[in-house]
Amino acid sequence: MSGYSKSKWVCEVLLGQVREHKLASITIVRPGLIGAHSVTGECNVRDWLSWMVRTAQTLKLATTIASDALKSVFLHLVPVNYVAQTIAILSLSHEVPSKLYTRVLCNMYRLSDK
């Protein structure tokens, strides 16, 4: 288990204890990879995925990425506006969950589709 995984686990244990003592209602949101805005296309141009795509374009590898060998490769991207909307809805909800919730947001894109 990596240091990141361990720290995430410790955080979830501590948040679970907070919830058990009824000190707060806790919902953990795990959006996975956050992609570009679904309407405007705006994105973080400094994240690793943007760098990888730009590098592939610069090296003229973009056609290689969409080759037959990689047609089954998926990226789990969630548009940034969906992530923001979900977090806003959850944070404004007056419903108090009876247990610790983890919500995973996932949207699959086949590399050859884009």
Side-chain angles (χ1 to χ4, degrees):
M1 187 183 289
S2 71
Y4 174 75
S5 297
K6 288 177 186 174
S7 66
K8 190 167 62 170
W9 178 82
V10 168
C11 183
E12 288 185 11
V13 168
L14 291 173
L15 289 172
Q17 291 173 355
V18 166
R19 178 67 187 124
E20 284 176 20
H21 289 81
K22 300 183 192 278
L23 298 173
S25 175
I26 307 291
T27 300
I28 298 168
V29 179
R30 289 202 185 116
L33 289 175
I34 299 175
H37 192 283
S38 66
V39 176
T40 67
E42 291 290 322
C43 66
N44 178 2
V45 296
R46 294 184 176 194
D47 71 358
W48 72 270
L49 184 58
S50 295
W51 281 99
M52 182 185 77
V53 170
R54 273 197 312 278
T55 300
Q57 288 173 333
T58 301
L59 297 175
K60 303 200 184 322
L61 296 174
T63 55
T64 304
I65 289 175
S67 71
D68 288 340
L70 294 177
K71 283 190 177 179
S72 62
V73 174
F74 288 90
L75 288 177
H76 299 273
L77 292 172
V78 181
V80 65
N81 51 311
Y82 294 1
V83 174
Q85 182 180 19
T86 300
I87 291 172
I89 289 168
L90 291 172
S91 66
L92 296 172
S93 173
H94 296 290
E95 180 183 326
V96 179
S98 59
K99 62 181 181 176
L100 180 67
Y101 278 97
T102 300
R103 313 223 188 218
V104 179
L105 306 178
C106 181
N107 197 3
M108 293 174 51
Y109 292 98
R110 184 172 302 157
L111 283 178
S112 61
D113 291 345
K114 299 296 172 189

PDB file of all heavy atoms in Angstrom, residues 31-44 47 77-88 105 107 109:
ATOM      1  N   PRO A  31     -13.828  11.845  -7.295  1.00  0.00           N
ATOM      2  CA  PRO A  31     -14.187  12.032  -8.696  1.00  0.00           C
ATOM      3  C   PRO A  31     -13.305  11.301  -9.703  1.00  0.00           C
ATOM      4  O   PRO A  31     -13.614  11.294 -10.879  1.00  0.00           O
ATOM      5  CB  PRO A  31     -14.074  13.541  -8.886  1.00  0.00           C
ATOM      6  CG  PRO A  31     -13.083  13.964  -7.877  1.00  0.00           C
ATOM      7  CD  PRO A  31     -13.251  13.034  -6.706  1.00  0.00           C
ATOM      8  N   GLY A  32     -12.235  10.690  -9.283  1.00  0.00           N
ATOM      9  CA  GLY A  32     -11.346  10.071 -10.262  1.00  0.00           C
ATOM     10  C   GLY A  32     -10.632  11.152 -11.048  1.00  0.00           C
ATOM     11  O   GLY A  32     -10.314  12.212 -10.517  1.00  0.00           O
ATOM     12  N   LEU A  33     -10.404  10.909 -12.323  1.00  0.00           N
ATOM     13  CA  LEU A  33      -9.763  11.928 -13.161  1.00  0.00           C
ATOM     14  C   LEU A  33     -10.788  12.985 -13.533  1.00  0.00           C
ATOM     15  O   LEU A  33     -11.867  12.668 -14.027  1.00  0.00           O
ATOM     16  CB  LEU A  33      -9.213  11.303 -14.444  1.00  0.00           C
ATOM     17  CG  LEU A  33      -7.998  10.408 -14.303  1.00  0.00           C
ATOM     18  CD1 LEU A  33      -7.665   9.781 -15.652  1.00  0.00           C
ATOM     19  CD2 LEU A  33      -6.813  11.187 -13.790  1.00  0.00           C
ATOM     20  N   ILE A  34     -10.436  14.234 -13.291  1.00  0.00           N
ATOM     21  CA  ILE A  34     -11.335  15.334 -13.628  1.00  0.00           C
ATOM     22  C   ILE A  34     -10.941  15.843 -15.004  1.00  0.00           C
ATOM     23  O   ILE A  34      -9.800  16.237 -15.228  1.00  0.00           O
ATOM     24  CB  ILE A  34     -11.269  16.449 -12.570  1.00  0.00           C
ATOM     25  CG1 ILE A  34     -11.689  15.890 -11.212  1.00  0.00           C
ATOM     26  CG2 ILE A  34     -12.142  17.630 -12.990  1.00  0.00           C
ATOM     27  CD1 ILE A  34     -11.547  16.870 -10.069  1.00  0.00           C
ATOM     28  N   GLY A  35     -11.911  15.810 -15.909  1.00  0.00           N
ATOM     29  CA  GLY A  35     -11.655  16.217 -17.283  1.00  0.00           C
ATOM     30  C   GLY A  35     -12.166  17.612 -17.583  1.00  0.00           C
ATOM     31  O   GLY A  35     -12.579  18.359 -16.686  1.00  0.00           O
ATOM     32  N   ALA A  36     -12.154  17.941 -18.834  1.00  0.00           N
ATOM     33  CA  ALA A  36     -12.578  19.260 -19.297  1.00  0.00           C
ATOM     34  C   ALA A  36     -14.074  19.476 -19.064  1.00  0.00           C
ATOM     35  O   ALA A  36     -14.844  18.528 -18.938  1.00  0.00           O
ATOM     36  CB  ALA A  36     -12.261  19.397 -20.783  1.00  0.00           C
ATOM     37  N   HIS A  37     -14.457  20.736 -19.011  1.00  0.00           N
ATOM     38  CA  HIS A  37     -15.865  21.121 -18.894  1.00  0.00           C
ATOM     39  C   HIS A  37     -16.623  20.522 -20.075  1.00  0.00           C
ATOM     40  O   HIS A  37     -16.156  20.577 -21.220  1.00  0.00           O
ATOM     41  CB  HIS A  37     -15.975  22.647 -18.902  1.00  0.00           C
ATOM     42  CG  HIS A  37     -17.311  23.162 -18.511  1.00  0.00           C
ATOM     43  ND1 HIS A  37     -18.384  23.142 -19.369  1.00  0.00           N
ATOM     44  CD2 HIS A  37     -17.751  23.717 -17.360  1.00  0.00           C
ATOM     45  CE1 HIS A  37     -19.433  23.679 -18.770  1.00  0.00           C
ATOM     46  NE2 HIS A  37     -19.074  24.033 -17.556  1.00  0.00           N
ATOM     47  N   SER A  38     -17.783  19.932 -19.820  1.00  0.00           N
ATOM     48  CA  SER A  38     -18.516  19.218 -20.871  1.00  0.00           C
ATOM     49  C   SER A  38     -19.073  20.133 -21.953  1.00  0.00           C
ATOM     50  O   SER A  38     -19.382  19.673 -23.054  1.00  0.00           O
ATOM     51  CB  SER A  38     -19.643  18.388 -20.261  1.00  0.00           C
ATOM     52  OG  SER A  38     -20.614  19.236 -19.688  1.00  0.00           O
ATOM     53  N   VAL A  39     -19.207  21.425 -21.678  1.00  0.00           N
ATOM     54  CA  VAL A  39     -19.761  22.349 -22.667  1.00  0.00           C
ATOM     55  C   VAL A  39     -18.674  23.244 -23.264  1.00  0.00           C
ATOM     56  O   VAL A  39     -18.543  23.353 -24.483  1.00  0.00           O
ATOM     57  CB  VAL A  39     -20.884  23.218 -22.042  1.00  0.00           C
ATOM     58  CG1 VAL A  39     -21.402  24.238 -23.040  1.00  0.00           C
ATOM     59  CG2 VAL A  39     -22.007  22.338 -21.524  1.00  0.00           C
ATOM     60  N   THR A  40     -17.867  23.861 -22.398  1.00  0.00           N
ATOM     61  CA  THR A  40     -16.881  24.845 -22.877  1.00  0.00           C
ATOM     62  C   THR A  40     -15.544  24.220 -23.266  1.00  0.00           C
ATOM     63  O   THR A  40     -14.770  24.828 -24.000  1.00  0.00           O
ATOM     64  CB  THR A  40     -16.605  25.909 -21.801  1.00  0.00           C
ATOM     65  OG1 THR A  40     -15.937  25.289 -20.692  1.00  0.00           O
ATOM     66  CG2 THR A  40     -17.892  26.585 -21.352  1.00  0.00           C
ATOM     67  N   GLY A  41     -15.238  23.036 -22.735  1.00  0.00           N
ATOM     68  CA  GLY A  41     -13.952  22.407 -23.017  1.00  0.00           C
ATOM     69  C   GLY A  41     -12.812  22.932 -22.163  1.00  0.00           C
ATOM     70  O   GLY A  41     -11.681  22.484 -22.284  1.00  0.00           O
ATOM     71  N   GLU A  42     -13.103  23.898 -21.287  1.00  0.00           N
ATOM     72  CA  GLU A  42     -12.059  24.437 -20.410  1.00  0.00           C
ATOM     73  C   GLU A  42     -11.498  23.323 -19.531  1.00  0.00           C
ATOM     74  O   GLU A  42     -12.240  22.467 -19.058  1.00  0.00           O
ATOM     75  CB  GLU A  42     -12.624  25.549 -19.515  1.00  0.00           C
ATOM     76  CG  GLU A  42     -12.993  26.798 -20.252  1.00  0.00           C
ATOM     77  CD  GLU A  42     -11.776  27.557 -20.764  1.00  0.00           C
ATOM     78  OE1 GLU A  42     -10.751  27.608 -20.061  1.00  0.00           O
ATOM     79  OE2 GLU A  42     -11.861  28.100 -21.873  1.00  0.00           O
ATOM     80  N   CYS A  43     -10.178  23.350 -19.319  1.00  0.00           N
ATOM     81  CA  CYS A  43      -9.561  22.314 -18.506  1.00  0.00           C
ATOM     82  C   CYS A  43      -8.282  22.830 -17.859  1.00  0.00           C
ATOM     83  O   CYS A  43      -7.810  23.912 -18.177  1.00  0.00           O
ATOM     84  CB  CYS A  43      -9.250  21.074 -19.346  1.00  0.00           C
ATOM     85  SG  CYS A  43      -8.006  21.362 -20.607  1.00  0.00           S
ATOM     86  N   ASN A  44      -7.743  22.031 -16.975  1.00  0.00           N
ATOM     87  CA  ASN A  44      -6.469  22.338 -16.338  1.00  0.00           C
ATOM     88  C   ASN A  44      -5.363  21.949 -17.312  1.00  0.00           C
ATOM     89  O   ASN A  44      -5.080  20.781 -17.501  1.00  0.00           O
ATOM     90  CB  ASN A  44      -6.334  21.562 -15.029  1.00  0.00           C
ATOM     91  CG  ASN A  44      -5.008  21.797 -14.346  1.00  0.00           C
ATOM     92  OD1 ASN A  44      -4.178  22.569 -14.802  1.00  0.00           O
ATOM     93  ND2 ASN A  44      -4.800  21.118 -13.235  1.00  0.00           N
ATOM     94  N   ASP A  47      -2.196  19.734 -15.790  1.00  0.00           N
ATOM     95  CA  ASP A  47      -2.227  18.414 -15.174  1.00  0.00           C
ATOM     96  C   ASP A  47      -1.549  17.400 -16.084  1.00  0.00           C
ATOM     97  O   ASP A  47      -1.256  17.662 -17.252  1.00  0.00           O
ATOM     98  CB  ASP A  47      -3.649  17.992 -14.788  1.00  0.00           C
ATOM     99  CG  ASP A  47      -4.541  17.668 -15.974  1.00  0.00           C
ATOM    100  OD1 ASP A  47      -4.101  17.793 -17.123  1.00  0.00           O
ATOM    101  OD2 ASP A  47      -5.693  17.279 -15.738  1.00  0.00           O
ATOM    102  N   LEU A  77     -12.830   9.621 -17.030  1.00  0.00           N
ATOM    103  CA  LEU A  77     -12.852  11.072 -16.869  1.00  0.00           C
ATOM    104  C   LEU A  77     -14.242  11.545 -16.483  1.00  0.00           C
ATOM    105  O   LEU A  77     -15.238  11.069 -17.025  1.00  0.00           O
ATOM    106  CB  LEU A  77     -12.472  11.770 -18.177  1.00  0.00           C
ATOM    107  CG  LEU A  77     -11.038  11.627 -18.650  1.00  0.00           C
ATOM    108  CD1 LEU A  77     -10.899  12.202 -20.052  1.00  0.00           C
ATOM    109  CD2 LEU A  77     -10.103  12.337 -17.701  1.00  0.00           C
ATOM    110  N   VAL A  78     -14.292  12.486 -15.555  1.00  0.00           N
ATOM    111  CA  VAL A  78     -15.556  13.120 -15.192  1.00  0.00           C
ATOM    112  C   VAL A  78     -15.404  14.608 -15.483  1.00  0.00           C
ATOM    113  O   VAL A  78     -14.453  15.238 -15.009  1.00  0.00           O
ATOM    114  CB  VAL A  78     -15.887  12.905 -13.694  1.00  0.00           C
ATOM    115  CG1 VAL A  78     -17.212  13.563 -13.345  1.00  0.00           C
ATOM    116  CG2 VAL A  78     -15.908  11.431 -13.353  1.00  0.00           C
ATOM    117  N   PRO A  79     -16.292  15.186 -16.283  1.00  0.00           N
ATOM    118  CA  PRO A  79     -16.191  16.614 -16.586  1.00  0.00           C
ATOM    119  C   PRO A  79     -16.213  17.461 -15.306  1.00  0.00           C
ATOM    120  O   PRO A  79     -16.955  17.167 -14.364  1.00  0.00           O
ATOM    121  CB  PRO A  79     -17.425  16.891 -17.442  1.00  0.00           C
ATOM    122  CG  PRO A  79     -17.762  15.560 -18.047  1.00  0.00           C
ATOM    123  CD  PRO A  79     -17.402  14.548 -16.989  1.00  0.00           C
ATOM    124  N   VAL A  80     -15.401  18.488 -15.285  1.00  0.00           N
ATOM    125  CA  VAL A  80     -15.254  19.327 -14.092  1.00  0.00           C
ATOM    126  C   VAL A  80     -16.579  19.923 -13.648  1.00  0.00           C
ATOM    127  O   VAL A  80     -16.852  20.035 -12.448  1.00  0.00           O
ATOM    128  CB  VAL A  80     -14.184  20.425 -14.317  1.00  0.00           C
ATOM    129  CG1 VAL A  80     -14.610  21.409 -15.392  1.00  0.00           C
ATOM    130  CG2 VAL A  80     -13.844  21.119 -13.012  1.00  0.00           C
ATOM    131  N   ASN A  81     -17.452  20.270 -14.595  1.00  0.00           N
ATOM    132  CA  ASN A  81     -18.744  20.846 -14.198  1.00  0.00           C
ATOM    133  C   ASN A  81     -19.630  19.812 -13.512  1.00  0.00           C
ATOM    134  O   ASN A  81     -20.404  20.148 -12.622  1.00  0.00           O
ATOM    135  CB  ASN A  81     -19.449  21.498 -15.386  1.00  0.00           C
ATOM    136  CG  ASN A  81     -19.560  20.607 -16.603  1.00  0.00           C
ATOM    137  OD1 ASN A  81     -18.573  20.007 -17.036  1.00  0.00           O
ATOM    138  ND2 ASN A  81     -20.742  20.521 -17.179  1.00  0.00           N
ATOM    139  N   TYR A  82     -19.522  18.533 -13.867  1.00  0.00           N
ATOM    140  CA  TYR A  82     -20.281  17.486 -13.175  1.00  0.00           C
ATOM    141  C   TYR A  82     -19.766  17.313 -11.748  1.00  0.00           C
ATOM    142  O   TYR A  82     -20.556  17.131 -10.817  1.00  0.00           O
ATOM    143  CB  TYR A  82     -20.186  16.152 -13.911  1.00  0.00           C
ATOM    144  CG  TYR A  82     -20.839  16.098 -15.266  1.00  0.00           C
ATOM    145  CD1 TYR A  82     -21.476  17.205 -15.833  1.00  0.00           C
ATOM    146  CD2 TYR A  82     -20.818  14.932 -16.000  1.00  0.00           C
ATOM    147  CE1 TYR A  82     -22.062  17.143 -17.077  1.00  0.00           C
ATOM    148  CE2 TYR A  82     -21.406  14.856 -17.253  1.00  0.00           C
ATOM    149  CZ  TYR A  82     -22.030  15.967 -17.785  1.00  0.00           C
ATOM    150  OH  TYR A  82     -22.611  15.894 -19.017  1.00  0.00           O
ATOM    151  N   VAL A  83     -18.446  17.356 -11.591  1.00  0.00           N
ATOM    152  CA  VAL A  83     -17.857  17.226 -10.254  1.00  0.00           C
ATOM    153  C   VAL A  83     -18.311  18.382  -9.369  1.00  0.00           C
ATOM    154  O   VAL A  83     -18.772  18.182  -8.241  1.00  0.00           O
ATOM    155  CB  VAL A  83     -16.315  17.182 -10.322  1.00  0.00           C
ATOM    156  CG1 VAL A  83     -15.699  17.202  -8.925  1.00  0.00           C
ATOM    157  CG2 VAL A  83     -15.841  15.956 -11.094  1.00  0.00           C
ATOM    158  N   ALA A  84     -18.216  19.601  -9.885  1.00  0.00           N
ATOM    159  CA  ALA A  84     -18.611  20.784  -9.111  1.00  0.00           C
ATOM    160  C   ALA A  84     -20.096  20.733  -8.742  1.00  0.00           C
ATOM    161  O   ALA A  84     -20.470  21.018  -7.595  1.00  0.00           O
ATOM    162  CB  ALA A  84     -18.302  22.053  -9.907  1.00  0.00           C
ATOM    163  N   GLN A  85     -20.936  20.344  -9.694  1.00  0.00           N
ATOM    164  CA  GLN A  85     -22.376  20.270  -9.437  1.00  0.00           C
ATOM    165  C   GLN A  85     -22.684  19.211  -8.375  1.00  0.00           C
ATOM    166  O   GLN A  85     -23.496  19.441  -7.475  1.00  0.00           O
ATOM    167  CB  GLN A  85     -23.123  19.960 -10.728  1.00  0.00           C
ATOM    168  CG  GLN A  85     -24.623  19.913 -10.553  1.00  0.00           C
ATOM    169  CD  GLN A  85     -25.347  19.601 -11.853  1.00  0.00           C
ATOM    170  OE1 GLN A  85     -24.755  19.080 -12.795  1.00  0.00           O
ATOM    171  NE2 GLN A  85     -26.619  19.922 -11.900  1.00  0.00           N
ATOM    172  N   THR A  86     -22.044  18.056  -8.468  1.00  0.00           N
ATOM    173  CA  THR A  86     -22.280  16.985  -7.499  1.00  0.00           C
ATOM    174  C   THR A  86     -21.870  17.409  -6.098  1.00  0.00           C
ATOM    175  O   THR A  86     -22.613  17.197  -5.134  1.00  0.00           O
ATOM    176  CB  THR A  86     -21.513  15.708  -7.910  1.00  0.00           C
ATOM    177  OG1 THR A  86     -21.985  15.299  -9.190  1.00  0.00           O
ATOM    178  CG2 THR A  86     -21.712  14.596  -6.904  1.00  0.00           C
ATOM    179  N   ILE A  87     -20.701  18.023  -5.976  1.00  0.00           N
ATOM    180  CA  ILE A  87     -20.231  18.469  -4.662  1.00  0.00           C
ATOM    181  C   ILE A  87     -21.163  19.547  -4.101  1.00  0.00           C
ATOM    182  O   ILE A  87     -21.500  19.533  -2.918  1.00  0.00           O
ATOM    183  CB  ILE A  87     -18.773  18.956  -4.733  1.00  0.00           C
ATOM    184  CG1 ILE A  87     -17.865  17.742  -4.994  1.00  0.00           C
ATOM    185  CG2 ILE A  87     -18.366  19.683  -3.457  1.00  0.00           C
ATOM    186  CD1 ILE A  87     -16.425  18.091  -5.274  1.00  0.00           C
ATOM    187  N   ALA A  88     -21.614  20.466  -4.954  1.00  0.00           N
ATOM    188  CA  ALA A  88     -22.538  21.512  -4.498  1.00  0.00           C
ATOM    189  C   ALA A  88     -23.850  20.900  -4.011  1.00  0.00           C
ATOM    190  O   ALA A  88     -24.354  21.257  -2.929  1.00  0.00           O
ATOM    191  CB  ALA A  88     -22.804  22.510  -5.623  1.00  0.00           C
ATOM    192  N   LEU A 105     -17.411   9.099  -8.609  1.00  0.00           N
ATOM    193  CA  LEU A 105     -17.936   9.599  -9.874  1.00  0.00           C
ATOM    194  C   LEU A 105     -17.067   9.044 -10.988  1.00  0.00           C
ATOM    195  O   LEU A 105     -15.858   9.175 -10.961  1.00  0.00           O
ATOM    196  CB  LEU A 105     -17.897  11.127  -9.909  1.00  0.00           C
ATOM    197  CG  LEU A 105     -18.574  11.845  -8.749  1.00  0.00           C
ATOM    198  CD1 LEU A 105     -18.404  13.344  -8.900  1.00  0.00           C
ATOM    199  CD2 LEU A 105     -20.030  11.477  -8.678  1.00  0.00           C
ATOM    200  N   ASN A 107     -16.904   8.253 -15.371  1.00  0.00           N
ATOM    201  CA  ASN A 107     -17.434   8.346 -16.711  1.00  0.00           C
ATOM    202  C   ASN A 107     -16.359   7.795 -17.632  1.00  0.00           C
ATOM    203  O   ASN A 107     -15.244   8.288 -17.628  1.00  0.00           O
ATOM    204  CB  ASN A 107     -17.759   9.807 -17.047  1.00  0.00           C
ATOM    205  CG  ASN A 107     -18.668   9.935 -18.238  1.00  0.00           C
ATOM    206  OD1 ASN A 107     -19.103   8.949 -18.794  1.00  0.00           O
ATOM    207  ND2 ASN A 107     -18.946  11.156 -18.622  1.00  0.00           N
ATOM    208  N   TYR A 109     -14.424   6.882 -21.111  1.00  0.00           N
ATOM    209  CA  TYR A 109     -14.226   7.260 -22.504  1.00  0.00           C
ATOM    210  C   TYR A 109     -13.224   6.308 -23.130  1.00  0.00           C
ATOM    211  O   TYR A 109     -12.143   6.105 -22.598  1.00  0.00           O
ATOM    212  CB  TYR A 109     -13.661   8.694 -22.612  1.00  0.00           C
ATOM    213  CG  TYR A 109     -14.617   9.756 -22.190  1.00  0.00           C
ATOM    214  CD1 TYR A 109     -14.547  10.298 -20.919  1.00  0.00           C
ATOM    215  CD2 TYR A 109     -15.589  10.215 -23.060  1.00  0.00           C
ATOM    216  CE1 TYR A 109     -15.432  11.293 -20.526  1.00  0.00           C
ATOM    217  CE2 TYR A 109     -16.479  11.193 -22.678  1.00  0.00           C
ATOM    218  CZ  TYR A 109     -16.395  11.733 -21.400  1.00  0.00           C
ATOM    219  OH  TYR A 109     -17.262  12.699 -21.014  1.00  0.00           O
TER     220      TYR A 109
END
